[in-house]
Amino acid sequence: MNELPTEIFRKWMHSFEEDKEGIMIYRPADYEFPRARGRDGIEFRSDGVFIYWGIGPTDASRGINGHWKMEGPGRVLVSFEGNVQPSRTLEILQIDAGILKVRQL
């Protein structure tokens, strides 16, 4: 995977209940998740914008803006404006309309 597939360009929420062995599972924002006290997420945009949706003080999501770029086959480097969070590399393991599986390297 040298380019990101079009299915990835949306808001994904962390389905932490499904995480296993260091693999993080994300589902589309409109997925019917079990109840939780807040849920973080990520969003890829086709113009290179990346948004980390963190959990705010009232359990509502709030966005932290950043950028993504391909680092290698299946690997995406994410950096944040003002270095509010450290850069990270995400390995895309699986992506389709209903699920995104990533591993943080």
Side-chain angles (χ1 to χ4, degrees):
M1 176 187 326
N2 291 321
E3 295 181 14
L4 291 179
T6 58
E7 293 90 358
I8 204 167
F9 299 121
R10 65 186 332 173
K11 184 175 182 180
W12 297 90
M13 301 308 287
H14 190 187
S15 185
F16 55 83
E17 303 89 346
E18 298 181 85
D19 288 355
K20 188 188 293 187
E21 299 173 5
I23 297 172
M24 295 177 289
I25 307 298
Y26 291 88
R27 299 282 184 177
D30 60 358
Y31 182 81
E32 295 208 20
F33 291 98
R35 293 178 55 102
R37 284 207 44 134
R39 193 173 290 276
D40 67 334
I42 57 178
E43 182 175 350
F44 289 89
R45 295 188 180 167
S46 60
D47 62 358
V49 171
F50 178 89
I51 302 171
Y52 170 72
W53 292 98
I55 302 169
T58 62
D59 295 338
S61 295
R62 67 173 181 207
I64 299 172
N65 292 331
H67 301 279
W68 67 266
K69 68 178 182 178
M70 294 302 296
E71 190 174 62
R75 294 182 178 198
V76 179
L77 175 65
V78 174
S79 57
F80 294 92
E81 296 173 6
N83 295 320
V84 295
Q85 286 200 4
S87 296
R88 60 187 79 156
T89 299
L90 301 176
E91 181 181 19
I92 309 298
L93 302 172
Q94 180 183 344
I95 174 70
D96 62 41
I99 193 167
L100 170 63
K101 293 183 180 184
V102 300
R103 178 181 294 127
Q104 187 170 318
L105 302 176

